[in-house]
Amino acid sequence: MIILGIESTCDETSVGIVDGGTRVLANVVASSSAMHEKYGGIVPEVAAREQVKVIVPTLLEALNRYTPGVRSGATWNTPGVSKKIDAIAVAYGPGLIGSLLIGVETAKALALAWNKPLIGVNHLVGHLYANWLDEKGSKSQRVKESKTPEFPAIGLVVSGGHTDLILMKSHKEFKWLGGTLDDAAGEVFDKVARVLGFPYPGGPEIERAARNVKSRISNFKFPMPMAGREDFKFSFSGLKTAVVNYVANNQGGDVSRIAFEFQETVCQFLAKKTFAAAKQYGVKSIVVGGGVSANRRLFEMFEQMATAQKICLYFPEGNLSVDNGAMIASAAYFHQNFLDIASAQANPSLYFV
Ligand code: KG4
Ligand code: ZN
């Protein structure tokens, strides 16, 4: 089954085409993130206007990459193109309403024009399914025994808007274990980056600065969030305040060292919660997704613990950590939540619970 997946929840516009939930046939991503740099964060109105501009070119580019057999210049009604696609999927929430509307209405129009079923995908579930995709030519970051994750698994979503732990018993049975009480993991990377004088998005900037530091010094540490709590809730605002106060009291301080210590603390905190959940539920795999899963230090820390505890670890390959249409097409294949084309709507506050 070949599914065309549309992603437009935030500042990326993407169309992916995936066979059988795993084989990426095309995945085109356009981003307006550079346009938000000067504001230090995403401006919803700007993001939505960009979505409008790029959605059709992105769609056509994906169709062209997927159908090289059809004379170049394939468009949505080129004979033969739609025959090769079995369903249209769309991330219909959570996200920014203006951005979401563009993807949802485009998906509905395409499903109607091509007479294909429409499948709705929770964007956060999509991030986890980036780990089911095989992207040709990309370097594997997996500690793997089996090619795709085996159940039961613990899923960790770490994105700009969310931090969630999910027990995945099967494709059909997900249980939300907990999320953040305040900022999301990516959000705190972005906010701390701003305090340190880095542009948006801050995660990659902090990772880069942290690489300048080779080892820890014993008298400099930020407090581990929620010390002593054994539940699966997250909180990052205390850590953020600690960094802000440190910068204020030390005339800025050593930016690379602050970035390094901050990153160490966030990664350790995420690992601690995730591996505690993995142990409690005796899972076979850990599956991580969302923009922050692009962080190499996070992967290294998880890899070390997964190897010690003999758990299979999955991080998205290549560029599949960031928002993309292929992960939406994959999640659609395994979940098949069919929507009525006439009444389907974007849901900005869609969640696990
Ligand atoms: O999943 P995503 O692309 O969009 C949302 O659904 O929110 O995540 C974007 C977030 C941003 O906060 C960005 O700073 C963070 O992911 N991010 C990173 C890295 N790359 C992106 N955080 C830490 N390290 C990175 N290398
Ligand atoms: Zn996302």
Side-chain angles (χ1 to χ4, degrees), residues 115-138:
N115 193 24
K116 307 283 175 185
L118 178 67
I119 303 176
V121 173
N122 177 329
H123 173 78
L124 304 173
V125 173
H127 271 306
L128 295 174
Y129 277 87
N131 290 292
W132 268 259
L133 295 171
D134 252 341
E135 175 117 281
K136 250 192 289 170
S138 70

Side-chain angles (χ1 to χ4, degrees), residues 210 213 215-216 255-265:
V213 175
S215 62
R216 300 191 90 160
V255 168
S256 294
R257 181 152 301 276
I258 297 169
F260 174 87
E261 286 297 337
F262 164 75
Q263 179 174 269
E264 289 296 300
T265 312

Side-chain angles (χ1 to χ4, degrees), residues 266-284:
V266 172
C267 294
Q268 274 177 12
F269 178 52
L270 292 172
K272 188 176 134 198
K273 295 275 179 182
T274 307
F275 282 85
K279 190 169 174 209
Q280 177 164 330
Y281 292 97
V283 299
K284 290 185 175 157

Side-chain angles (χ1 to χ4, degrees), residues 123-289:
H123 173 78
L124 304 173
V125 173
H127 271 306
L128 295 174
Y129 277 87
N131 290 292
W132 268 259
L133 295 171
D134 252 341
E135 175 117 281
K136 250 192 289 170
S138 70
K139 200 166 125 275
S140 175
Q141 291 192 348
R142 297 169 177 174
V143 175
K144 60 180 165 186
E145 277 172 14
S146 75
K147 213 163 148 38
T148 52
E150 278 182 53
F151 296 115
I154 289 291
L156 172 70
V157 180
V158 271
S159 71
H162 293 268
T163 307
D164 292 290
L165 265 184
I166 294 103
L167 172 62
M168 306 162 80
K169 293 186 190 166
S170 69
H171 287 299
K172 300 274 170 291
E173 218 183 333
F174 282 21
K175 184 175 176 231
W176 181 79
L177 300 178
T180 182
L181 301 172
D182 39 57
D183 290 349
E187 190 178 2
V188 78
F189 266 98
D190 295 336
K191 287 180 176 170
V192 164
R194 187 158 15 159
V195 171
L196 297 180
F198 295 126
Y200 174 86
E205 301 287 335
I206 291 206
E207 183 172 5
R208 212 168 295 133
R211 276 195 217 120
N212 298 327
V213 175
K214 296 296 168 238
S215 62
R216 300 191 90 160
I217 44 177
S218 59
N219 62 348
F220 184 18
K221 254 188 181 168
F222 290 120
M224 180 60 65
M226 307 179 95
R229 274 179 75 154
E230 300 297 322
D231 57 22
F232 298 128
K233 294 192 173 78
F234 297 84
S235 166
F236 294 99
S237 68
L239 174 60
K240 180 182 65 189
T241 306
V243 176
V244 169
N245 289 344
Y246 181 87
V247 170
N249 296 334
N250 293 277
Q251 291 83 43
D254 175 346
V255 168
S256 294
R257 181 152 301 276
I258 297 169
F260 174 87
E261 286 297 337
F262 164 75
Q263 179 174 269
E264 289 296 300
T265 312
V266 172
C267 294
Q268 274 177 12
F269 178 52
L270 292 172
K272 188 176 134 198
K273 295 275 179 182
T274 307
F275 282 85
K279 190 169 174 209
Q280 177 164 330
Y281 292 97
V283 299
K284 290 185 175 157
S285 323
I286 287 177
V287 177
V288 186

Side-chain angles (χ1 to χ4, degrees), residues 281-349:
Y281 292 97
V283 299
K284 290 185 175 157
S285 323
I286 287 177
V287 177
V288 186
V292 181
S293 68
N295 188 288
R296 287 298 303 174
R297 182 66 187 127
L298 185 72
F299 174 71
E300 277 169 23
M301 230 183 250
F302 272 58
E303 186 182 39
Q304 211 174 23
M305 290 174 76
T307 306
Q309 298 182 26
K310 297 192 168 51
I311 296 174
C312 287
L313 177 67
Y314 295 83
F315 269 58
E317 292 184 9
N319 293 326
L320 298 171
S321 292
V322 299
D323 293 352
N324 67 85
M327 71 186 195
I328 302 304
S330 173
Y333 175 83
F334 292 108
H335 289 256
Q336 310 213 349
N337 167 35
F338 293 105
L339 302 179
D340 172 48
I341 297 175
S343 62
Q345 279 187 351
N347 181 355
S349 49

